[in-house]
Amino acid sequence: MATQAATAALRTLSADIDDDVRDWATFGLGHLDLDTPEVRDALLQCAGDPDDVTAGEAVRALAVR
């Protein structure tokens, strides 16, 4: 299970200026065995990302939840 610090880091990185960083952070959030309002909120924000890959990762992760 992810620690709070790791989850917080992924949430921060999911809003990074770099597309690749946001994508991998969103991927990481999406694959956590964790379903909290904070994780869902971060994924919801990423679902509107201008990068299609990042947005797709977020939508997939939300659908799984």
Side-chain angles (χ1 to χ4, degrees):
M1 180 132 107
T3 66
Q4 288 180 336
T7 303
L10 286 172
R11 287 176 44 222
T12 298
L13 291 170
S14 72
D16 194 85
I17 193 167
D18 186 275
D19 290 349
D20 289 332
V21 172
R22 287 194 318 276
D23 176 38
W24 282 107
T26 303
F27 175 86
L29 282 170
H31 285 83
L32 290 177
D33 187 23
L34 186 63
D35 188 17
T36 65
E38 294 82 13
V39 170
R40 283 181 183 236
D41 287 345
L43 290 170
L44 186 57
Q45 290 297 315
C46 293
D49 196 276
D51 178 62
D52 290 341
V53 176
T54 302
E57 287 289 347
V59 169
R60 184 211 58 83
L62 288 167
V64 169
R65 280 168 174 73

